[in-house]
């Protein structure tokens, strides 16, 4: 199975900051990498697919990059509603569809 | 709009069974692969199982293989997860999620609100 490792596990930042979250795959997955946002008590929401494509309706301050084994999610200017937990997920090899362990983004 | 509504969660004892349901609306259910994904309290996301659009292909995570059975009824736009021999480690919120493909890249593009399963004596 492909293992997905996110860093950091948690992150404190302020409104307006630029934030980057990293996801590393245990083997090359091309661009088969998705990012999700989850707020407390809510279901995850798809933000980015194919490493860098923005899902419809997602603000342009969210961006994704990378290919192979190393990927990043960047939020260019944090907004109050962006404080949440973010997960990466590989869709290169399934089953199983594996997720990273999550990165909790908190207000500083 | 796409809606997925899970039901059937609750409190059960170890070794008991539970059946979860997911009712879909707002899209042609029979065209889509469907999944169950769970999240233990305070933990991350774990894919549990998926079923093809026709129901002919079903896959399970190793952690539930042999205990859980996934099925669907396309005439009722519904997905089911029969969970037997439940263990404490099965305690989680269970989400129903649609597999959406975008330019050949698979995603979980729509999720239900989740249903909580608690396994405790």
């Amino acid at each position: 199975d492909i293992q997905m490792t996110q860093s950091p596990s948690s992150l404190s930042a302020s409104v307006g900051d630029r934030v980057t979250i990293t996801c590393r795959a245990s083997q090359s997955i091309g661009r088969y990498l998705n990012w999700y946002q989850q707020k407390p008590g809510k279901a995850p929401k798809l933000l980015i697919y194919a490493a860098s494509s923005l899902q419809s309706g997602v603000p342009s301050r969210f961006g994704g990059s990378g290919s192979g084994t190393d990927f990043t999610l960047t939020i260019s200017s944090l907004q109050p509603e962006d404080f949440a937990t973010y997960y990466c997920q590989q869709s290169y090899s399934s089953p199983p569809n594996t997720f990273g362990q999550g990165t909790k983004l908190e207000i500083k | 709009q796409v809606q997925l509504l899970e039901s059937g969660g609750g409190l059960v004892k170890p070794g008991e069974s539970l059946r979860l349901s997911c009712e879909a609306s707002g899209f042609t259910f029979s065209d889509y692969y469907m999944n169950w994904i769970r999240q233990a309290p305070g933990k991350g996301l774990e894919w549990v199982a998926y079923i093809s659009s026709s129901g002919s292909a079903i896959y399970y995570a190793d952690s539930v293989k042999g205990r859980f059975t996934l099925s669907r009824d396309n005439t009722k736009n519904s997905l089911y997860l029969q969970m037997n021999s439940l263990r404490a480690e099965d305690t989680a919120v269970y989400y129903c999620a649609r597999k959406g493909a975008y330019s050949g890249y698979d995603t979980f593009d729509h999720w239900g609100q989740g249903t909580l399963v608690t396994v405790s004596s």
Side-chain angles (χ1 to χ4, degrees):
Chain A
D1 298 353
I2 298 174
Q3 307 303 316
M4 307 301 294
T5 304
Q6 290 181 232
S7 61
S9 296
S10 63
L11 175 60
S12 294
S14 302
V15 172
D17 283 354
R18 180 183 180 90
V19 166
T20 298
I21 297 169
T22 297
C23 178
R24 176 165 288 175
S26 60
Q27 66 184 73
S28 179
I29 59 170
R31 295 179 62 81
Y32 290 85
L33 191 284
N34 305 317
W35 289 98
Y36 300 84
Q37 176 194 64
Q38 186 180 32
K39 296 181 179 179
K42 300 294 187 182
K45 170 188 170 184
L46 176 65
L47 292 179
I48 288 171
Y49 63 94
S52 62
S53 296
L54 216 57
Q55 174 68 337
S56 176
V58 174
S60 59
R61 63 182 179 273
F62 289 92
S65 65
S67 66
T69 60
D70 294 313
F71 301 88
T72 58
L73 172 69
T74 300
I75 309 172
S76 59
S77 178
L78 270 175
Q79 299 302 300
E81 61 267 30
D82 300 337
F83 292 94
T85 300
Y86 294 84
Y87 294 92
C88 63
Q89 175 246 330
Q90 65 84 17
S91 61
Y92 177 80
S93 173
S94 67
N97 294 276
T98 44
F99 292 88
Q101 81 278 15
T103 296
K104 186 173 184 180
L105 179 51
E106 299 175 302
I107 300 173
K108 184 183 287 183
Chain B
Q1 72 281 21
V2 173
Q3 290 195 337
L4 298 168
L5 185 62
E6 302 95 336
S7 61
L11 173 63
V12 296
K13 293 180 169 56
E16 292 186 342
S17 299
L18 208 55
R19 188 194 197 208
L20 305 184
S21 300
C22 171
E23 185 173 347
S25 60
F27 65 103
T28 304
F29 181 71
S30 59
D31 285 348
Y32 288 86
Y33 281 48
M34 297 295 297
N35 297 262
W36 287 97
I37 296 163
R38 68 184 180 182
Q39 186 171 36
K43 301 298 185 182
L45 300 166
E46 179 189 17
W47 170 81
V48 173
Y50 84 69
I51 186 168
S52 63
S53 53
S54 66
S56 60
I58 302 172
Y59 290 93
Y60 301 95
D62 288 344
S63 57
V64 307
K65 202 174 294 182
R67 300 186 299 121
F68 289 12
T69 301
L70 180 54
S71 62
R72 65 189 296 161
D73 185 338
N74 286 344
T75 66
K76 295 182 179 179
N77 292 340
S78 292
L79 182 71
Y80 307 103
L81 186 67
Q82 177 66 42
M83 304 186 296
N84 298 333
S85 304
L86 282 161
R87 306 167 178 167
E89 55 265 35
D90 296 318
T91 295
V93 173
Y94 284 73
Y95 295 102
C96 167
R98 189 181 84 168
K99 190 188 92 168
Y102 298 80
S103 303
Y105 291 87
D106 291 341
T107 72
F108 301 120
D109 67 344
H110 290 278
W111 301 60
Q113 86 290 346
T115 188
L116 176 62
V117 173
T118 303
V119 185
S120 175
S121 54

